[in-house]
Amino acid sequence: MVGCLFGNLALELSSQAADVQSRLQEIFDAQIDLIEQVVAATPPPLGGGRQAAARDRILAAADRLLYGEGIRAVGIDRIFAEAPVTRATFYRHFATKDDLVAAYLVGRSAKEREQVAALRATMSGDAPQMLRTLLTALIAESCGPGARGCPFINAAAEYADPAHPVRRAVTEHRRWFHSQMSRLAAELGHPEPDRVADQLMLLRDGVMVGGYLDDPARAGAALTAAATAIVTHRDGS
């Protein structure tokens, strides 16, 4: 009987301990959320605010993990840990993981646009040199250490709906890249710049995949040879 009494007491104490632990976790979560709200309401210091810094950390972690390991393979908790940010902070910036994926792709696209704009600023009027520089940069991106193919193609493979925000980000980037190739072909004096851009897009996609799956050196050499042949071929056939 004494054993039964102590057994019941132990069960009751265990239950009470679990309730206390659960309540403490609720209090802790509420305090964290309150702190985040206070931080969000605090005027940012000169040079950028804490919230902007948190968003940048989230995007940096997403860029590294989603590209390096795959979108579906990386759980949202992993992003929290790598950023590092609290759950409340993450959802203050991104309503869903898909929103983060779309923002990650928009960020990748923005970097490429900045790079191309910088090239145009320094190589104005020298289309052949710009083509060579773009090919070199593309080879470095697709065939260098850590390359895992094209982030946009990789993302499109995981989102089947063309109307999804992630797919729209992919489509917008590809349209922009095609327009840049068409513009460059026109500057090189090609009579059919859009046709050349179509072919250069296929080459770009091919080297992104080939540089990851096959011999990177051969993929890079093939890109240079094929792109040169395309832009110098003028008979329209």
Side-chain angles (χ1 to χ4, degrees), residues 56-91:
D56 289 344
R57 292 199 309 274
I58 294 169
L59 286 172
D63 187 273
R64 181 175 66 257
L65 294 173
L66 299 182
Y67 181 71
E69 300 181 21
I71 294 170
R72 299 300 184 196
V74 176
I76 201 69
D77 288 339
R78 181 86 181 280
I79 301 291
F80 300 159
E82 293 281 340
V85 294
T86 65
R87 182 178 296 270
T89 295
F90 176 88
Y91 286 112

Side-chain angles (χ1 to χ4, degrees), residues 74-135:
V74 176
I76 201 69
D77 288 339
R78 181 86 181 280
I79 301 291
F80 300 159
E82 293 281 340
V85 294
T86 65
R87 182 178 296 270
T89 295
F90 176 88
Y91 286 112
R92 185 166 291 114
H93 294 286
F94 303 100
T96 65
K97 180 184 175 182
D98 285 353
D99 289 338
L100 173 62
V101 174
Y104 143 68
L105 293 175
V106 169
R108 283 259 173 169
S109 182
K111 290 177 183 177
E112 287 194 27
R113 294 173 190 236
E114 290 172 2
Q115 291 167 354
V116 171
L119 285 178
R120 287 201 169 279
T122 58
M123 298 181 183
S124 179
D126 192 350
Q129 179 58 35
M130 183 165 181
L131 175 63
R132 289 190 292 270
T133 303
L134 283 174
L135 291 176

